Amino acid sequence: YLSRYLGDTLLTVLLYRYNNPGEDDGDAETNEALDALLPYAQKVLAKFAFYMAVPMLDVQLTSAGFAVTSNSNVSPASDKRVAAFRAAMESDGWDLIESMLKFLEKNQDDYPSWVASTAYTTTYETFINTATDFDKIIRINESRLEFQRMIPDMINVELLRIEPAISNALAVAIRDQIKAGSVSTANEKILPLIRRAVAYFTFVDTNRSDMLLKAKHRDLAEMYLTQVLKILDENLTDYPLYEASTSYDSEKTSYSSYENEEENTTFTFGG
């Protein structure tokens, strides 16, 4: 749970610092930086340790076989309560990972081994990188667990829906700028729209939208992507990667990615 998000190098240095508190600063991260990160990592481990251990904690191995504690003072918790506790530990663990990542992102200059690791790249593999950012578009209660489950689906949406429209080159460039923490002015104009398209497409494609909202979410996804394309086509000098790609059609005179239909819950005018 930690190596995937901290990277092997930072995790190794952090463990060494914990086990050797009197040692001098490491080559990359200072002792102060490692001490600041440690509580975040410990909280993550505590939650996931309970999550993984729960199935075995209430079972004892005796000479007569497996048994559970039961006396006048203590009796086994119901399966429902155990399942609820375990689910809470998992959800809390992922939320604490979210907090740890926010801390690392805010202080990334203090953690160069993290920035240089594949863990850092994985954190920025999609246009939407945190549960908090996703929650600003569609409510998921800022759940890192729910966000984590959607990452493969968001990647599919970006590869199959967004990149063919705006070009792979532009998509990669925007992700790289997000990763570097410096998105260009031109890309800042389209990134919020792209993120909304990704979020709504993800909810629709994975049947997370209920029946009443599915059509609305699909319409919104198409409309946001259409707005991105209009900005690109009207400002080609700002988007040379798009203009040089096969995604750009110089003969296009209208936008057909969204069409008003009688059964639609949302309608667009003009353009």
Side-chain angles (χ1 to χ4, degrees), residues 14-268:
L14 187 64
L15 284 169
Y16 187 85
R17 169 64 180 162
Y18 175 76
N19 290 311
N20 302 275
E23 295 286 339
D24 293 333
D25 292 346
D27 294 335
E29 285 77 20
T30 65
N31 285 349
E32 290 78 10
L34 295 173
D35 291 343
L37 174 61
L38 184 60
Y40 289 91
Q42 289 174 321
K43 290 175 183 178
V44 170
L45 284 180
K47 295 294 184 178
F48 282 120
F50 267 115
Y51 167 69
M52 297 181 70
V54 163
M56 297 173 285
L57 287 177
D58 65 343
V59 178
Q60 301 175 17
L61 181 59
T62 70
S63 58
F66 291 103
V68 295
T69 300
S70 182
N71 53 49
S72 58
N73 296 318
V74 181
S75 60
S78 67
D79 291 344
K80 184 176 181 180
R81 288 187 176 184
V82 172
F85 174 79
R86 188 166 190 251
M89 291 300 99
E90 182 185 24
S91 180
D92 288 350
W94 285 113
D95 288 343
L96 287 167
I97 283 181
E98 179 91 351
S99 297
M100 183 177 69
L101 289 173
K102 287 180 180 178
F103 170 79
L104 286 169
E105 182 177 352
K106 184 178 180 180
N107 302 279
Q108 59 182 276
D109 290 344
D110 295 331
Y111 303 96
S113 64
W114 178 64
V115 175
S117 71
T118 56
Y120 182 79
T121 302
T122 300
T123 302
Y124 293 94
E125 62 184 336
T126 55
F127 290 116
I128 307 173
N129 307 122
T130 68
T132 300
D133 286 341
F134 196 101
D135 195 71
K136 293 175 182 177
I137 304 170
I138 305 178
R139 295 290 295 172
I140 58 171
N141 297 318
E142 298 189 26
S143 168
R144 181 73 196 192
L145 175 58
E146 181 65 13
F147 181 77
Q148 183 68 28
R149 289 171 174 167
M150 288 192 293
I151 288 177
D153 302 318
M154 285 193 290
I155 291 174
N156 285 335
V157 166
E158 293 185 13
L159 292 177
L160 299 176
R161 290 182 178 273
I162 307 302
E163 288 194 9
I166 71 172
S167 82
N168 169 264
L170 179 56
V172 170
I174 294 174
R175 292 193 197 99
D176 286 344
Q177 290 178 2
I178 295 172
K179 191 187 308 179
S182 180
V183 180
S184 69
T185 301
N187 289 337
E188 281 284 10
K189 294 179 181 179
I190 60 174
L191 182 55
L193 301 172
I194 290 174
R195 283 174 168 162
R196 288 185 171 276
V198 169
Y200 286 118
F201 273 133
T202 298
F203 253 58
V204 171
D205 290 354
T206 59
N207 293 316
R208 285 180 170 86
S209 301
D210 60 39
M211 293 302 296
L212 295 176
L213 291 175
K214 193 167 187 176
K216 178 180 179 180
H217 286 171
R218 182 186 295 108
D219 294 346
L220 287 170
E222 296 285 2
M223 290 168 65
Y224 280 121
L225 185 54
T226 294
Q227 290 303 309
V228 171
L229 293 176
K230 290 180 69 174
I231 293 173
L232 294 178
D233 287 344
E234 292 172 1
N235 301 273
L236 290 175
T237 56
D238 293 333
Y239 303 98
L241 294 176
Y242 168 72
E243 184 180 17
S245 73
T246 56
S247 298
Y248 171 59
D249 181 2
S250 61
E251 298 181 357
K252 180 170 57 179
T253 58
S254 63
Y255 299 88
S256 59
S257 60
Y258 180 82
E259 296 181 358
N260 290 321
E261 296 181 1
E262 186 175 351
E263 65 272 17
N264 287 355
T265 58
T266 308
F267 295 87
T268 185

